[in-house]
Amino acid sequence: MAPSDLPIVLYHYVFSPVARRVVWYLTLRRIPYVQCMQPNILPRPDVAQLGITYRRIPILSIGRDVYLDSRLIIRKLEELYPPSAAHPSLSATTGDQKAIERLLDFFMTDSGIFRAASSCLPSTLPVMKDQAFLKDRAEFAGPPASKPIVEKAARRPTFLTLVRDAVELLETTVLADGRDWVLNTSGPMLADIEAVWVLKWIAMIPGALPKDFIGAQQFPKVFAWIDRFTKTVDGISKELGKPEAVKGDQAAAKILNSTYAEPEGTVDGRELVAEALGLKKGDTVKVFPTDSGVNHKETGTLLSLTSKEVVIEVEGPNGVVRVHSPRHGFTLSKFSEKASL
Ligand SMILES: N[C@@H](CCC(=O)N[C@@H](CS)C(=O)NCC(=O)O)C(=O)O
């Protein structure tokens, strides 16, 4: 069966800005999927049913292959769901465009803009007073490496300055000539998703961004583009209708009764980390993110290791799945009963 004929299940919750990236991608490409809605804090028994200990959202499966991290998820959908008239491509085509697409992804995620925007959430937001949520997120973020060096009173202004700088960059570079979309295309592309997700999310939250500092008056092109993106994606979602929602049991059954979307892959012994750790196919390893949610380490049998991803077989109560993690932002270690990692 072609991967594009296999069922796709998205585990997410509505208020996850990272999961929105995947939802918009699926919507803009009109790719059918079912959704398994999750609570915004642990525990997530629906995910545990697959034997998965990774704590972050989103998670997406194609057939019996499960993909972690929105970036790998989007890349896999690009690869496994080839473009057609019904499911148009969102990818950049030229080298310059590809560079912009990729650099926008790194800029919004890795340069600290998402973290800065998250720190602009107003303390009056109901969720910011929810003790269970705050406790969950303290575990998610891990202990601070040291005492914060930015004075408390300067923190919000510092983060707002960073976010404003990102908005200004878009206003004065990629959107400066008045184009509708980042790559000057006729509709939104992946490059737009990469650039818009943090700003659209934080701009929507009342009280997060002071309008006289980061608003439509100072940055008319950026705010018109966010609005255009919202209208376009909302229009297509309306036309497609709500994706079917399934319970955890149904989601797990769909996944476990499917075939794999990809061949098993191999472990090249000359791969640098494989060589350094003496890893070979079939070894038990731990795979985990290095930036957040680091305490939730996935244990499984190493199936494949490339420069782009690590794939392990994970055993759940009702069967095994293959769990794919990107190399970027994740690491792996050899499993040892005594290991402290
Ligand atoms: N790099 C990851 C980041 C995922 C992430 O941080 N997701 C947030 C939600 S926006 C999360 O999982 N928060 C903790 C939780 O919901 O358990 C990705 O692209 O998927």
Side-chain angles (χ1 to χ4, degrees):
M1 198 186 274
S4 52
D5 294 326
L6 293 171
I8 295 180
V9 182
L10 175 64
Y11 293 81
H12 73 124
Y13 55 89
V14 172
F15 298 108
S16 158
V18 184
R20 292 281 98 193
R21 287 158 48 74
V22 177
V23 169
W24 298 331
Y25 179 89
L26 290 162
T27 305
L28 291 173
R29 285 201 61 201
R30 299 164 187 268
I31 295 177
Y33 67 99
V34 300
Q35 49 185 356
C36 185
M37 301 314 291
Q38 297 302 303
N40 65 358
I41 58 170
L42 297 184
R44 298 199 176 108
D46 296 347
V47 175
Q49 256 196 71
L50 297 171
I52 292 177
T53 48
Y54 178 73
R55 75 149 293 170
R56 304 194 302 195
I57 290 293
I59 295 174
L60 178 130
S61 62
I62 307 178
R64 206 164 171 167
D65 285 272
V66 179
Y67 301 94
L68 308 182
D69 199 281
S70 64
R71 296 196 254 193
L72 182 67
I73 293 172
I74 290 175
R75 209 174 66 226
K76 285 294 173 174
L77 287 166
E78 289 277 310
E79 264 172 50
L80 299 174
Y81 218 95
S84 63
H87 306 290
S89 170
L90 296 186
S91 293
T93 45
T94 68
D96 286 2
Q97 290 185 342
K98 282 183 202 230
I100 292 177
E101 180 189 281
R102 192 85 194 270
L103 292 174
L104 282 169
D105 166 17
F106 285 127
F107 178 58
M108 287 298 168
T109 310
D110 293 328
S111 78
I113 305 297
F114 178 43
R115 264 181 194 262
S118 308
S119 306
C120 295
L121 289 176
S123 53
T124 46
L125 222 56
V127 80
M128 300 303 279
K129 294 187 203 136
D130 176 342
Q131 287 311 312
F133 180 81
L134 296 177
K135 198 166 158 222
D136 179 87
R137 286 313 192 260
E139 190 277 340
F140 171 66
S146 59
K147 264 190 147 190
I149 47 177
V150 180
E151 218 181 295
K152 199 167 178 206
R155 272 182 226 155
R156 185 169 153 79
T158 302
F159 295 127
L160 284 172
T161 306
L162 275 178
V163 174
R164 188 180 200 276
D165 192 48
V167 176
E168 187 177 296
L169 178 79
L170 297 178
E171 182 84 12
T172 55
T173 59
V174 285
L175 298 173
D177 62 7
R179 61 185 58 191
D180 279 350
W181 306 109
V182 167
L183 299 181
N184 208 8
T185 42
S186 57
M189 304 288 277
L190 179 53
D192 293 279
I193 296 179
E194 301 295 9
V196 86
W197 68 277
V198 176
L199 305 177
K200 175 168 153 48
W201 167 65
I202 200 69
M204 232 177 52
I205 296 173
L209 304 181
K211 284 202 172 27
D212 54 351
F213 187 59
I214 311 176
Q217 253 187 341
Q218 298 89 2
F219 304 109
K221 294 188 174 98
V222 170
F223 279 83
W225 162 74
I226 297 177
D227 203 39
R228 197 175 304 121
F229 183 89
T230 306
K231 286 197 176 113
T232 306
V233 87
D234 287 355
I236 301 175
S237 326
K238 220 168 170 187
E239 189 192 309
L240 297 174
K242 258 200 168 158
E244 183 194 348
V246 292
K247 298 259 179 250
D249 290 353
Q250 292 168 287
K254 247 185 208 302
I255 294 169
L256 293 168
N257 292 329
S258 286
T259 54
Y260 290 106
E262 297 192 68
E264 190 176 290
T266 53
V267 178
D268 179 351
R270 284 162 309 173
E271 196 284 332
L272 295 181
V273 172
E275 197 170 42
L277 301 179
L279 291 175
K280 51 183 190 333
K281 190 169 173 128
D283 284 348
T284 305
V285 292
K286 286 190 171 197
V287 181
F288 48 98
T290 50
D291 50 356
S292 58
V294 300
N295 298 332
H296 300 258
K297 299 181 168 74
E298 205 69 66
T299 303
T301 308
L302 183 62
L303 297 181
S304 163
L305 183 65
T306 68
S307 61
K308 304 264 186 278
E309 66 174 337
V310 49
V311 188
I312 59 176
E313 185 177 79
V314 168
E315 190 161 355
N318 300 312
V320 296
V321 292
R322 288 185 194 151
V323 178
H324 300 240
S325 309
R327 295 296 299 274
H328 181 85
F330 283 67
T331 191
L332 75 162
S333 65
K334 207 166 191 169
F335 177 79
S336 138
E337 298 287 354
K338 290 182 264 156
S340 56
L341 263 176

